[in-house]
Amino acid sequence: MCALRALTRSVCNSSSYVKTSKPYLILNLITHQHQTRRNLILESSASEFVKLHKLTGPDSGIVEISLDRPQAKNAIGKEMLRGLSHAFELINQKSYANVAMISSSVPGVFCAGADLKERRTMSQSETKIFVNYLRSTFSSLEAVNVPTIAVIEGVALGGGLEMALACDIRICGENALMGLPETGLAIIPGAGGTQRLPRLVGKAIAKDIIFTGRKIDGKEALSLGLVNYCVPAGEAYSKALAIAQDINQKLLNF
């Protein structure tokens, strides 16, 4: 009961933090799950699970953050969180970035949320530090100085959905499955979900989704206003890239 009261009070509160990083630059050939293209890869030394690609040629100006932790369904642990924080900071530092996409290289999953297995090994103080870092990292994403697009294919739960909520535009496939199931674990969404979700769908619907922990598919997410576009399964990346290209071209004309 106390947890639900705290959850209700938290719907209208938020905070923000900023982190810094110094990634390095390498050149490589990346095969995306949807297409192959030559990119400059801006890879953060903070994590092997997060890679920042700078598209080239006519797509110069578009950057893509790729989540790549298949063995854990892109669950966010300490290392992955450091990589995300570094990537967001790097985008802010580079003048060539006009628009950023966040996608997954793991088929069938965007991000399964926080790494609960890792969290069970943390002390209470370590858990508090991690949750604060997660919250501040998503606030940094929300404050990135270029438009951001979340590409959601498959599962986006807990912290995974909260990361998408911090983006400017969300595009999902019909097979997407989204939700904030934390109440089923006797915790509350701690990385901005209680603030950003009601801003998009309204307080009543947000309370329903959070209190029940129920999962919604792509079509329902579109009807609720949670996502901007819902496309056939497997086509979210192509739709996101087309929108990124449109935004990029307009910014190049400034």
Side-chain angles (χ1 to χ4, degrees), residues 11-15 142 192-203 206:
V11 168
C12 298
N13 296 321
S14 63
S15 59
E142 187 176 43
T194 56
Q195 291 80 50
R196 296 186 181 101
L197 184 61
R199 292 172 194 164
L200 287 173
V201 304
K203 287 185 179 181

Side-chain angles (χ1 to χ4, degrees), residues 128-144:
K128 183 177 180 180
I129 291 171
F130 176 82
V131 172
N132 286 339
Y133 190 17
L134 184 66
R135 184 183 303 124
S136 68
T137 297
F138 290 168
S139 293
S140 296
L141 169 59
E142 187 176 43
V144 164

Side-chain angles (χ1 to χ4, degrees), residues 8-191:
T8 302
R9 289 195 298 270
S10 70
V11 168
C12 298
N13 296 321
S14 63
S15 59
S16 61
Y17 306 84
V18 177
K19 303 292 178 184
T20 59
S21 60
K22 293 184 179 179
Y24 57 88
L25 177 66
I26 61 175
L27 180 64
N28 200 354
L29 178 67
I30 283 297
T31 302
H32 194 277
Q33 59 177 315
H34 300 287
Q35 63 188 84
T36 302
R37 60 175 58 238
R38 182 163 291 279
N39 304 280
L40 286 171
I41 306 173
L42 305 172
E43 184 175 355
S44 169
S45 59
S47 173
E48 63 178 298
F49 305 134
V50 180
K51 297 181 174 63
L52 182 60
H53 316 312
K54 177 181 180 293
L55 305 193
T56 59
D59 292 336
S60 179
I62 301 174
V63 295
E64 179 184 355
I65 298 171
S66 180
L67 310 179
D68 187 20
R69 194 187 178 196
Q71 72 277 16
K73 297 183 179 180
N74 287 340
I76 303 172
K78 293 178 181 178
E79 182 181 344
M80 190 170 187
L81 185 55
R82 284 193 295 268
L84 288 169
S85 179
H86 279 57
F88 302 152
E89 181 63 22
L90 182 60
I91 291 173
N92 272 333
Q93 292 174 354
K94 299 301 180 180
S95 60
Y96 54 67
N98 291 329
V99 57
M101 300 164 52
I102 302 180
S103 65
S104 168
S105 63
V106 182
V109 60
F110 175 70
C111 175
D115 188 338
L116 298 181
K117 290 183 179 179
E118 182 182 86
R119 186 177 295 188
R120 282 194 287 269
T121 68
M122 299 179 190
S123 66
Q124 186 173 355
S125 61
E126 288 173 331
T127 298
K128 183 177 180 180
I129 291 171
F130 176 82
V131 172
N132 286 339
Y133 190 17
L134 184 66
R135 184 183 303 124
S136 68
T137 297
F138 290 168
S139 293
S140 296
L141 169 59
E142 187 176 43
V144 164
N145 57 19
V146 301
T148 53
I149 303 172
V151 186
I152 306 169
E153 290 279 11
V155 173
L157 299 175
L161 179 56
E162 289 179 303
M163 176 161 52
L165 290 172
C167 292
D168 298 306
I169 298 171
R170 284 154 298 282
I171 300 168
C172 75
E174 291 178 344
N175 67 331
L177 196 64
M178 291 164 268
L180 296 172
E182 286 87 346
T183 52
L185 302 171
I187 57 177
I188 66 172

